[in-house]
Amino acid sequence: MNGGDEVVAAPAGPPNPLEWKFSQVFGERTAGEEVQEVDIISAIEFDKSGDHLATGDRGGRVVLFERTDTKDAGGSRRDRERMDYSISRHPEFRYKTEFQSHEPEFDYLKSLEIEEKINKIRWCQTANGALFLLSTNDKTIKFWKVQEKKIKKISEMNVDPSKAMGNGSIGSSSSSRAYLANGGAPDRSHNNLSNDYSFPPGGIPSLKLPVVSSQETSLLARCRRVYAHAHDYHINSISNNSDGETFISADDLRINLWNLEISNQSFNIVDVKPANMEDLTEVITSAEFHPTHCNTLAYSSSKGSIRLVDLRQSALCDSHTKLFEEQEAPGSRSFFTEIIASISDIKFGKDGRYILSRDYMTLKLWDINMDSGPVATFQVHEYLRPKLCDLYENDSIFDKFECCLSGDGLRIATGSYSNLFRVFGCALGSAEATTLEASKNPMRRQVPTTTPRQRSLGNSITRVVRRGTEAPGVDANGNSFDFTTKLLHLAWHPTENSIACAAANSLYMYYA
């Protein structure tokens, strides 16, 4: 209070931890049911509005869902006024359609089988009520248009169908007729229109012409373009540009720039392939465009670094504008250091200020204005450090977990083993660290979390190290972790606290 006139507001603290609730499940399997390999979900993506959700699976199919609880926003004035209040609505999606995006192929030149598995899906801008999206497998990217088509039906006429001809025509005859040279016909009696049709007694009271009536709509998915033969190695990322016209695709060694309208030409903008492949030390693991700056993109590497690239600098962007990497602690190097440092996924925040990265052990949040190190580190798999040898033997150490940010940038999420996923609060001072299970009771494995440790970097910026659940190889219920059930793919709704995640062939949705 200054002079009795002005009230100084107290600084707002971190937001309260969210309480997550089960919303829906699609493809829930019964106890003991065997999951088919082709049905396992391999990609999830919300569109920008959050009204549509797409999933891809290992069988090359893309399944679309649409939100239903926001469509009926009309109604009475009281209902519309009630919508103005921030009420916790239960988000609901329903199955919309599905289509076969990719088929298994065989590269005869290299004697390689190309899987149909969908690696990534990205939504494009909608137009004229149609949905557009990009989907890719290891080698080929496809541009799909999904649109409602009206099924046209002819309304019934006042004609006895039993007396009409088999082909539905009542004005023609199966008998041969003589036609004149100019296309006319010889004059005949008007009553003899057809040998197969007789007028009802008393004639037809009124003539009804056939009328086209649309009674139902059908969704049609059509492949508009195929972007092929541009990658020698497996595609791991595709990302739309904010200009709405271009997108990038990345494999282990190259990033290509495409125009959505041109499928037979792409431009190689990043190439990390050495002249001698024996000199290869790192590969590209993920790439994404900046959400608002069409000239900026970031890509991550298997050495745990992220490079920021400006397309205005040169045609081939081999030199980066910024390099983000965390310095290795002295004496901590081991055989597994590089493997667990490999970044499996990166995502820009909505405003483009922060980049979230996921390696095997941690989530890291980076400020693009600060390349000295991450502003926050969230421990996800620290309890697995003693088991790295076993994880290497069964190849689990190479699992690629995705990550996502909330639309408001206050929280982040990533998956883990035993169909668990973690949600962390990344606002300053937040201690939120929630462990959830992909089931109808997501909070049943919830355990108390430790307070985050903070240490000063000397330049007045605080770097946070946050611990998640760190039980030594067992979960909160004392069960051993199951490395065969892993939650690799998840997505956060762009405007609400709602998460969609894939556990094998099941799609689970939660809200808070």
Side-chain angles (χ1 to χ4, degrees):
M1 185 81 69
N2 288 340
D5 296 328
E6 188 178 341
V7 176
V8 180
N16 294 324
L18 296 176
E19 183 181 344
W20 292 92
K21 302 180 185 70
F22 170 78
S23 173
Q24 285 174 285
V25 59
F26 295 94
E28 184 182 22
R29 58 185 191 278
T30 57
E33 181 185 351
E34 188 176 345
V35 179
Q36 298 296 319
E37 178 82 9
V38 293
D39 294 332
I40 295 177
I41 297 172
S42 56
I44 300 180
E45 186 78 6
F46 280 105
D47 71 348
K48 280 190 176 180
S49 68
D51 290 337
H52 292 92
L53 175 68
T55 66
D57 63 26
R58 294 188 185 181
R61 292 165 301 209
V62 172
V63 183
L64 303 185
F65 302 89
E66 66 177 348
R67 189 161 181 178
T68 57
D69 61 304
T70 56
K71 284 199 165 186
D72 305 322
S76 66
R77 177 177 173 180
R78 179 175 295 179
D79 292 337
R80 290 196 298 269
E81 287 175 347
R82 195 180 294 124
M83 297 289 284
D84 293 337
Y85 296 99
S86 58
I87 57 174
S88 177
R89 227 174 26 244
H90 179 66
E92 282 190 14
F93 282 77
R94 72 177 177 196
Y95 169 87
K96 186 178 180 76
T97 188
E98 69 178 83
F99 55 90
Q100 189 71 32
S101 174
H102 288 72
E103 301 278 359
E105 299 174 56
F106 190 81
D107 188 335
Y108 293 97
L109 291 176
K110 298 181 180 179
S111 295
L112 284 175
E113 288 185 5
I114 302 172
E115 286 185 327
E116 65 270 36
K117 173 182 157 237
I118 305 295
N119 289 344
K120 295 287 178 183
I121 296 173
R122 289 292 179 267
W123 289 91
C124 303
Q125 293 179 353
T126 59
N128 300 326
L131 303 173
F132 295 89
L133 50 89
L134 290 164
S135 63
T136 184
N137 65 353
D138 285 339
K139 296 288 184 181
T140 306
I141 307 158
K142 294 186 179 182
F143 183 47
W144 290 91
K145 177 182 181 181
V146 182
Q147 193 174 26
E148 286 189 348
K149 289 284 185 182
K150 291 182 178 178
I151 299 175
K152 295 178 179 177
K153 293 187 176 180
I154 305 297
S155 62
E156 294 180 2
M157 297 190 298
N158 55 342
V159 172
D160 185 1
S162 62
K163 296 183 178 179
M165 287 180 58
N167 62 1
S169 172
I170 62 167
S172 62
S173 171
S174 58
S175 60
S176 60
R177 296 180 61 187
Y179 289 92
L180 301 179
N182 62 358
D187 187 25
R188 291 193 180 186
S189 170
H190 294 293
N191 291 331
N192 191 20
L193 291 175
S194 170
N195 294 335
D196 299 319
Y197 177 74
S198 60
F199 282 95
I204 299 176
S206 62
L207 179 63
K208 288 188 179 180
L209 297 176
V211 178
V212 174
S213 63
S214 298
Q215 295 195 354
E216 54 187 61
T217 57
S218 174
L219 281 163
L220 179 69
R222 190 162 63 91
C223 184
R224 294 285 302 274
R225 283 176 194 85
V226 178
Y227 313 91
H229 313 301
H231 288 277
D232 291 330
Y233 304 93
H234 289 179
I235 298 172
N236 55 47
S237 304
I238 51 175
S239 179
N240 307 75
N241 198 345
S242 58
D243 63 10
E245 297 178 0
T246 55
F247 70 93
I248 54 170
S249 58
D251 65 21
D252 293 341
L253 298 179
R254 293 188 177 94
I255 300 177
N256 293 334
L257 178 69
W258 301 83
N259 189 300
L260 281 168
E261 301 295 323
I262 303 168
S263 60
N264 59 358
Q265 183 183 42
S266 66
F267 299 94
N268 179 224
I269 54 175
V270 174
D271 189 348
V272 300
K273 183 179 181 181
N276 183 359
M277 283 296 281
E278 292 181 0
D279 299 330
L280 182 68
T281 58
E282 63 181 330
V283 296
I284 298 167
T285 57
S286 183
E288 185 166 90
F289 262 120
H290 190 283
T292 55
H293 299 167
C294 62
N295 56 283
T296 304
L297 64 94
Y299 68 92
S300 60
S301 83
S302 57
K303 278 193 167 180
S305 61
I306 301 172
R307 290 171 172 85
L308 207 63
V309 168
D310 191 336
L311 297 176
R312 298 171 297 185
Q313 283 193 328
S314 63
L316 190 62
C317 305
D318 284 343
S319 60
H320 50 267
T321 56
K322 281 190 177 179
L323 174 66
F324 304 95
E325 60 183 354
E326 189 168 27
Q327 297 304 316
E328 198 178 294
S332 63
R333 190 164 186 81
S334 71
F335 172 77
F336 304 108
T337 300
E338 273 197 22
I339 300 176
I340 62 175
S342 177
I343 295 174
S344 56
D345 190 25
I346 60 170
K347 294 279 170 46
F348 272 101
K350 196 172 185 179
D351 60 357
R353 170 74 183 271
Y354 295 97
I355 300 174
L356 180 66
S357 69
R358 171 70 153 100
D359 56 46
Y360 189 72
M361 306 297 282
T362 66
L363 275 170
K364 291 186 175 78
L365 193 65
W366 308 79
D367 187 334
I368 64 171
N369 298 327
M370 188 184 101
D371 53 8
S372 60
V375 293
T377 299
F378 306 87
Q379 302 288 359
V380 181
H381 280 164
E382 188 62 29
Y383 64 89
L384 293 178
R385 197 172 289 276
K387 298 179 178 292
L388 290 180
C389 280
D390 297 336
L391 294 164
Y392 180 77
E393 289 293 324
N394 62 22
D395 286 344
S396 293
I397 200 170
F398 302 106
D399 287 335
K400 300 186 185 305
F401 293 92
E402 292 180 1
C403 58
C404 57
L405 295 96
S406 62
D408 55 15
L410 297 177
R411 292 173 182 87
I412 56 179
T414 191
S416 181
Y417 293 105
S418 298
N419 284 342
L420 300 178
F421 63 102
R422 312 283 174 83
V423 178
F424 297 96
C426 53
L428 188 63
S430 173
E432 183 176 354
T434 310
T435 301
L436 303 155
E437 183 186 40
S439 68
K440 289 187 175 180
N441 184 12
M443 303 291 283
R444 75 184 180 102
R445 299 205 182 189
Q446 187 58 30
V447 296
T449 53
T450 57
T451 307
R453 291 204 315 252
Q454 295 188 358
R455 60 188 177 91
S456 174
L457 295 177
N459 58 355
S460 76
I461 298 177
T462 302
R463 183 180 298 170
V464 181
V465 179
R466 184 147 318 141
R467 301 283 178 187
T469 308
E470 292 182 19
V474 295
D475 61 20
N477 299 331
N479 302 319
S480 298
F481 274 94
D482 183 1
F483 298 113
T484 61
T485 56
K486 43 203 167 198
L487 200 150
L488 301 176
H489 311 285
L490 76 173
W492 202 302
H493 192 282
T495 58
E496 298 179 8
N497 287 321
S498 178
I499 291 178
C501 56
N505 65 328
S506 303
L507 175 67
Y508 286 92
M509 308 194 72
Y510 303 95
Y511 71 102

